[in-house]
Amino acid sequence: MQKLNFPTYPFRFKNSENKVSIFDCIRKKFVILQPEEWVRQHCVLFLINEKGYPKSLINIEKELIVNDLKKRYDIVVFNPNGSIHLIVECKAPSVIINQSTFDQIAQYNRVLMADYLMVTNGLNHYYCKMNFEKECYDFLREIPNYNS
């Protein structure tokens, strides 16, 4: 797999029926290693190891309904009170992040109402803080640490 713009992490891999799987520490199971999954697993460990987010507040690939359509978010980080702190949209490294990527996460956020958004393809990371009053997002240099 391609080197990403994240720190190097010690992942667990398994090979079964000529398919490589990577261990997901949140879902506590091996999942097929696809390019987007490679980015997602790096992002999860980045949030835990670099930003101090507790594993217990992180959720991966759950369904939500947006405009009567079933969608799946990549990563959500909850606040201790159950509200949503952060939504992360992961793309494969070959996918260029553009306006439609931001439109996708903005659609999810109409339902989830997260304080922060992160979009990444593993090479480029974009961070935003929601401004619900003005119905827009403000770009940040980085996502805040859990305790800040």
Side-chain angles (χ1 to χ4, degrees):
M1 280 284 153
Q2 180 175 354
K3 171 90 176 98
L4 301 178
N5 189 13
F6 282 108
T8 303
Y9 298 112
F11 294 108
R12 289 175 43 205
F13 299 98
K14 176 173 86 170
N15 199 334
S16 176
E17 298 175 21
N18 290 329
K19 291 187 179 175
V20 176
S21 296
I22 187 168
F23 188 76
D24 181 322
C25 68
I26 302 300
R27 292 179 275 186
K28 295 181 173 64
K29 66 178 185 177
F30 282 92
V31 292
I32 301 292
L33 182 57
Q34 300 286 344
E36 184 178 312
E37 191 64 45
W38 184 236
V39 173
R40 185 169 24 253
Q41 293 305 316
H42 275 81
C43 192
V44 165
L45 291 185
F46 171 76
L47 293 171
I48 294 167
N49 295 337
E50 315 311 319
K51 295 297 180 177
Y53 289 93
K55 280 186 196 179
S56 61
L57 297 179
I58 298 174
N59 204 310
I60 295 180
E61 283 208 309
K62 295 289 185 200
E63 192 174 274
L64 73 150
I65 306 296
V66 178
N67 299 328
D68 296 326
L69 298 173
K70 291 182 180 181
K71 302 286 185 178
R72 281 191 171 281
Y73 59 71
D74 284 308
I75 302 169
V76 160
V77 179
F78 291 93
N79 289 308
N81 68 5
S83 65
I84 297 178
H85 178 72
L86 168 69
I87 305 171
V88 182
E89 179 60 31
C90 299
K91 298 295 184 188
S94 60
V95 175
I96 294 173
I97 295 174
N98 56 23
Q99 187 60 49
S100 69
T101 312
F102 284 98
D103 292 346
Q104 179 184 0
I105 200 168
Q107 267 191 332
Y108 292 178
N109 205 34
R110 282 193 201 109
V111 175
L112 299 173
M113 303 298 288
D115 299 320
Y116 294 93
L117 309 176
M118 176 180 175
V119 176
T120 181
N121 63 3
L123 305 173
N124 300 298
H125 317 301
Y126 300 93
Y127 312 105
C128 308
K129 179 168 180 27
M130 288 304 302
N131 184 331
F132 291 106
E133 225 173 76
K134 295 181 182 175
E135 296 184 354
C136 66
Y137 40 81
D138 301 317
F139 283 91
L140 306 171
R141 288 185 181 266
E142 62 181 68
I143 209 74
N145 291 340
Y146 176 68
N147 289 326
S148 60

